[in-house]
Amino acid sequence: MSARSADLLLEIGTEEIPARFLPSARRQLRALAEKHLAAASLAHGGLIVWATPRRIALLAGGVPLVQPDRAFTELGPLKTQAFDPSGAPTPAAEGFARKHSVAVSALKVVEDKKGPRMAVSGVERGRAATEVLPGVLEGVLKGFEFPRAMRWPQAPGRTFARPIRWLVALHGTKALRVAVGEVAAAPATLGRRFVHVKPLAVKSAADYLIVLKKAGILVDETERKALIRREADRLAAKAGGRVLWDEALLNEVADLVEAPAPVLGTFPREALELPQAVIVAAMQEHQRYFPVVDAEGRLLPHFITVANGVATRSVVAGNERVLKARLADARFFWTTDSKKKLEDGLTILGTVVWQANGGTMLDKAKRVERMARVLAMYYKTLKVLPGIDHEAVGRAGLLAKADLVTAMVGEFPGLQGVVGGLYAAASGESPAVIRGIAEHYRPSGPGDDIPASDEGCLVALADKVDHLAGHFRLGHAPTGTADPYGLRRAAIGIIRILAEREWRLPMPLSALLSVSASEHVDREQLAAEILRAAKATEPLPLIDLGIRKVVLAAHAFIRARLEAVFEEQGFQHDEIQAALVDFEDVLYATRRLKALVTLKMRPGFRETLLALSRVTNIVTKVEGEGGASREALDEPERELYDAHGAVAARARELAEAGDFEALYAALATLKPAIDAFFDRVLVMDPDEAVRRRRLDLLKLVEGTIRLFVDVRALAIS
C-alpha cells in the first residue's frame, strides 16, 4: 500500500447465518466486489473474503484514494445536421456544445459509420474514493442472493440471509457513509455474544484482524479448520486414539463457530455393541461430532465436539447427555428392526410413493431388480465378470430400498444402504446380496468412492439409470443450478463407475436408457390404447409411449455431465467434442480423448488431420452412410476406394477393441490417397451423377474416420 492508496474493509454483521450459506456468501462477496470496483475504475491489490456465522467481511488491498482521470470522446450530431449550407451552426450544434460547456468552435469532426459527426473530447477528473466507495459497497450489499432470505423491520424492502445488525466500512482510517435501513456503518465491530458487551473499536482496515483475534474470533475459515484439527488430534491422542476425520463435516463445523474450542467427550462403553456405522451416524448426522478410533480403526467410547468459544465441563456434560440419548434411540431402533427380515419391508414399500405419477417404491425396487440382473447377465456372458451371480445381483436390487421403511433409516437417513446391508446380514442373505445393497448409493458425492464390489457397482448402475429415466419421463429435468432430484449426481455416478471400473456398457447407452424408460411405461394405458384401436377396427397404431423423448433427453444429459467431467480434468473444449463423436459409451469416449491428446504431440499429426478433414468437411450435409461400387468408379476414385478398403475392416476391429492410437495409425495410411484424390478430382462436378458418386465415396470414408474422432470438431491450427 502506498501513500496514494489504502485498504478497503467491509464487514456485514448479522444474526447467526446457517453454515451451508457461508461458502456461497464468500464466493458472492468476491465476485460482487470485483464487479463493482471495476465498474468504478478502482483497482486493488487483491481481495480477501471471510465469513463466520455472525459476520461476512471483505478486505481489498491498495484501493486508490482517487479515481484515475478518464479521457472521453462523446459523439454529437452529424456534421450535415450541425451546420447549415452557409456554414452557420444549427441549434443541434449549439445545444450539443452548450451541454458540454464549450464553444461550437471547440467541437471536433470525427468519422463514424453514419458519416462525419461532431464530437467533444476531454478528461473527466477522478473523484475521491470516499465519494465513490459508498456506492460501490451499496451495490455489493444489494447483490447477495441466498436460498432463503429474510426481511426485518429495521430495513424495509431489504433482504439478507439473516438480519443485518451492524456494518463496518473503512477506507484506510476513513469511515464510509454506508447504511442498510436503520443500520449505519460505524468504525466498531461486535465480539462474541455474552463475552464482549461493548463494541470493539476498529480504527483502520489494517487493524481489523488484530481486533478480532484479541477477542478470540478467527474470521478466516482456514485458520478455524487448522485449529480444530490440531486441538482435536491432541485431545484424541490424550484419550489413546485418533480422530476419524470427515472433510465435509470439518468444513461444516468450521462454519458453525467463529471461536472454535474443541473438547473431548465420552459415551457409555456398552453402546459400542451397536454397529460402528450406526454410532458414527448418530454422532455426525445430528450432533456434528467427530468419532475417535484406535489404531485399527475401531471406535473408542469418546468423541470430539467443537464449542463456540466456551469449553467448560458443563458444555461437555450437555453434549454427552445428548449423545447418550441418541445412542439409546439407535439401540432401540436396531433391536426393533432386527426382529423382522429385511425382505418383510417390501410389503410396506408397496404403500410408499416413489414419485407422484411414478408408482411406488416397490415398483422401483422391481425395476432395479430386473435391470441389475440384465446387466449382470450381459457382463457374465461377455466374460467381463465371468464369476458374477446374476441372481444374487437381482435380489440385491430388489432389496436395495427395503431399509427405507426401517426405524433406523427414518432417524438416520444417511445410513440408507449401509443399514440395508447390516439388516441383510442379520436376515441371512448371502455376502453378494449384502454387498450389492450396502454399496448401491455410492458414489454419493464428489468425495465418495465408487462401490468396492462388482455387485455394488451393478446395482448402483441399475438404480441410477432407473433414476434418470424415471425422472426425465416425469419431466423433472434440472433447471439452472437447481437439481432437487439429484439427477446430476446420478449421471456422474454412472460415469465414474464405468470409467473407474473400465467397463464398457453391454449395449449402447441409448439402448440401455430405452430399456429403462420402457419399464416406466403405463401398462394399463398401453392396453387401453390397443383395445381402443381393436374395437375401432383400425390398423394397430404406432403408439407413442414417450420413450424416444426420454431417451434423447437423458442421453444428452449424461453427455453434458461427461463434458463437464472432462473439462474439470483439464481437457480442451475441441478435444472433448471430437472424442464424444457418436457418443454411446463412457469408457471408449474416455479412451478416445486420452489417445487424441497423446497423438496431438506426435510429428505429422496436424498434416494427417488436415487430410482427413478434407473428407469430413465436404460431406457435412450428405445423408446416409455412403457407399460405392468399384466398377462404377473411374481411376482416381478407385485408388481412394481401394486404399479405404485395405484399412476399413481393421479400423472397425481396432475401434471395437478400443485401441484408438492404432486406429489413428491405420487412418494415417489414407493420407496419400486422399491428397491424390482431391488433387485429381473435382468432387462437386457439374454432372449430378458424378457428383453424387464421389460424395457417396467420401461419405463411406468419413464413416471410417468417425470411428476415431469427429475431426470437424477439432481446432486444427
Side-chain angles (χ1 to χ4, degrees), residues 23-47:
S24 172
R26 283 187 278 264
R27 291 192 297 270
Q28 290 187 67
L29 180 54
R30 181 180 296 278
L32 289 166
E34 289 277 12
K35 172 185 173 182
H36 289 283
L37 284 170
S41 300
L42 288 172
H44 61 80
L47 298 179

Side-chain angles (χ1 to χ4, degrees), residues 515-596:
V515 171
S516 185
S518 68
E519 289 281 333
H520 290 265
V521 169
D522 186 332
R523 308 292 176 179
E524 292 183 3
Q525 180 185 357
L526 174 60
E529 287 292 319
I530 294 174
L531 183 61
R532 183 197 61 77
K535 286 181 178 179
T537 64
E538 299 172 356
L540 189 63
L542 179 62
I543 300 172
D544 180 17
L545 303 175
I547 292 176
R548 177 174 171 76
K549 182 179 179 181
V550 172
V551 170
L552 290 175
H555 185 280
F557 185 75
I558 294 173
R559 188 186 193 278
R561 300 282 69 72
L562 183 56
E563 287 182 38
V565 169
F566 286 154
E567 286 175 359
E568 289 176 1
Q569 293 172 351
F571 294 103
Q572 300 299 312
H573 178 74
D574 66 314
E575 298 168 348
I576 295 169
Q577 297 305 313
L580 288 174
V581 57
D582 303 326
F583 169 63
E584 288 291 352
D585 187 85
V586 171
L587 178 63
Y588 274 25
T590 304
R591 288 184 178 176
R592 272 193 180 91
L593 182 55
K594 292 180 178 178
L596 177 59

Side-chain angles (χ1 to χ4, degrees), residues 462-640:
D463 181 39
K464 296 177 197 313
V465 169
D466 178 81
H467 191 75
L468 288 175
H471 281 289
F472 273 99
R473 182 162 180 78
L474 294 171
H476 293 166
T479 55
T481 58
D483 186 15
Y485 301 102
L487 302 189
R488 292 189 181 96
R489 183 170 63 248
I492 291 175
I494 293 170
I495 290 167
R496 285 190 56 198
I497 290 170
L498 294 173
E500 293 178 33
R501 277 284 177 152
E502 296 191 337
W503 284 352
R504 283 199 74 185
L505 282 171
M507 63 186 81
L509 176 61
S510 55
L512 183 67
L513 290 169
S514 181
V515 171
S516 185
S518 68
E519 289 281 333
H520 290 265
V521 169
D522 186 332
R523 308 292 176 179
E524 292 183 3
Q525 180 185 357
L526 174 60
E529 287 292 319
I530 294 174
L531 183 61
R532 183 197 61 77
K535 286 181 178 179
T537 64
E538 299 172 356
L540 189 63
L542 179 62
I543 300 172
D544 180 17
L545 303 175
I547 292 176
R548 177 174 171 76
K549 182 179 179 181
V550 172
V551 170
L552 290 175
H555 185 280
F557 185 75
I558 294 173
R559 188 186 193 278
R561 300 282 69 72
L562 183 56
E563 287 182 38
V565 169
F566 286 154
E567 286 175 359
E568 289 176 1
Q569 293 172 351
F571 294 103
Q572 300 299 312
H573 178 74
D574 66 314
E575 298 168 348
I576 295 169
Q577 297 305 313
L580 288 174
V581 57
D582 303 326
F583 169 63
E584 288 291 352
D585 187 85
V586 171
L587 178 63
Y588 274 25
T590 304
R591 288 184 178 176
R592 272 193 180 91
L593 182 55
K594 292 180 178 178
L596 177 59
V597 172
T598 300
L599 291 166
K600 285 178 72 174
M601 307 303 294
R602 293 185 183 176
F605 179 81
R606 177 181 177 276
E607 291 72 20
T608 299
L609 260 289
L610 285 172
L612 299 179
S613 69
R614 298 179 77 181
V615 176
T616 58
N617 290 342
I618 204 168
V619 297
T620 302
K621 297 182 180 180
V622 178
E623 297 180 354
E625 297 180 359
S629 168
R630 191 176 189 281
E631 292 73 21
L633 303 176
D634 59 21
E635 186 56 34
E637 297 166 355
R638 286 197 195 103
E639 290 180 11
L640 178 58

Side-chain angles (χ1 to χ4, degrees), residues 402-425:
D403 66 348
L404 295 179
V405 295
T406 63
M408 185 69 79
V409 171
E411 182 69 12
F412 304 109
L415 285 178
Q416 56 188 5
V418 175
V419 160
L422 295 172
Y423 288 153

Side-chain angles (χ1 to χ4, degrees), residues 69-93:
D69 295 341
R70 183 179 70 89
F72 69 91
T73 297
E74 185 168 336
L75 298 179
L78 291 169
K79 183 179 180 182
T80 55
Q81 298 170 341
F83 298 94
D84 63 21
S86 68
T90 65

Side-chain angles (χ1 to χ4, degrees), residues 244-583:
L244 187 62
W245 288 111
D246 180 292
E247 291 302 315
L249 181 59
L250 176 59
N251 290 336
E252 181 182 2
V253 169
D255 278 342
L256 285 170
V257 296
E258 60 179 14
V263 294
L264 177 71
T266 62
F267 60 88
R269 184 171 290 274
E270 55 267 24
L272 294 175
E273 297 172 6
L274 284 166
Q276 180 159 320
V278 173
I279 301 174
V280 171
M283 291 185 189
Q284 293 181 341
E285 284 197 28
H286 293 287
Q287 304 311 127
R288 307 301 188 262
Y289 297 164
F290 296 98
V292 177
V293 297
D294 63 17
E296 284 72 42
R298 295 186 298 263
L299 277 176
L300 294 174
H302 301 289
F303 65 91
I304 301 291
T305 186
V306 181
N308 191 22
V310 181
T312 64
R313 181 56 211 169
S314 62
V315 169
V316 176
N319 283 279
E320 289 175 340
R321 283 195 302 272
V322 172
L323 181 58
K324 182 179 179 181
R326 286 284 181 197
L327 293 175
D329 289 344
R331 180 186 290 274
F332 172 78
F333 298 144
W334 175 257
T335 302
T336 302
D337 291 337
S338 298
K339 292 177 181 177
K340 302 176 183 178
K341 288 186 173 294
L342 182 62
E343 187 176 14
D344 296 340
L346 295 177
T347 302
I348 306 175
L349 284 183
T351 67
V352 178
V353 174
W354 173 60
Q355 292 291 323
N357 302 316
T360 67
M361 286 301 304
L362 181 59
D363 296 329
K364 177 173 177 61
K366 290 179 178 179
R367 292 194 302 268
V368 174
E369 174 193 18
R370 290 190 289 269
M371 178 60 75
R373 183 180 285 109
V374 166
L375 289 172
M377 290 176 67
Y378 267 117
Y379 281 126
K380 186 173 185 177
T381 302
L382 297 171
K383 295 184 170 49
V384 176
L385 301 173
I388 198 72
D389 182 346
H390 62 272
E391 291 297 338
V393 172
R395 183 160 178 81
L398 177 65
L399 297 178
K401 306 299 179 183
D403 66 348
L404 295 179
V405 295
T406 63
M408 185 69 79
V409 171
E411 182 69 12
F412 304 109
L415 285 178
Q416 56 188 5
V418 175
V419 160
L422 295 172
Y423 288 153
S427 300
E429 299 290 343
S430 71
V433 173
I434 295 168
R435 290 192 295 269
I437 295 171
E439 298 176 346
H440 84 279
Y441 283 105
R442 295 167 60 182
S444 60
D448 193 19
D449 294 330
I450 67 170
S453 68
D454 296 334
E455 296 86 359
C457 286
L458 291 169
V459 179
L461 283 174
D463 181 39
K464 296 177 197 313
V465 169
D466 178 81
H467 191 75
L468 288 175
H471 281 289
F472 273 99
R473 182 162 180 78
L474 294 171
H476 293 166
T479 55
T481 58
D483 186 15
Y485 301 102
L487 302 189
R488 292 189 181 96
R489 183 170 63 248
I492 291 175
I494 293 170
I495 290 167
R496 285 190 56 198
I497 290 170
L498 294 173
E500 293 178 33
R501 277 284 177 152
E502 296 191 337
W503 284 352
R504 283 199 74 185
L505 282 171
M507 63 186 81
L509 176 61
S510 55
L512 183 67
L513 290 169
S514 181
V515 171
S516 185
S518 68
E519 289 281 333
H520 290 265
V521 169
D522 186 332
R523 308 292 176 179
E524 292 183 3
Q525 180 185 357
L526 174 60
E529 287 292 319
I530 294 174
L531 183 61
R532 183 197 61 77
K535 286 181 178 179
T537 64
E538 299 172 356
L540 189 63
L542 179 62
I543 300 172
D544 180 17
L545 303 175
I547 292 176
R548 177 174 171 76
K549 182 179 179 181
V550 172
V551 170
L552 290 175
H555 185 280
F557 185 75
I558 294 173
R559 188 186 193 278
R561 300 282 69 72
L562 183 56
E563 287 182 38
V565 169
F566 286 154
E567 286 175 359
E568 289 176 1
Q569 293 172 351
F571 294 103
Q572 300 299 312
H573 178 74
D574 66 314
E575 298 168 348
I576 295 169
Q577 297 305 313
L580 288 174
V581 57
D582 303 326
F583 169 63

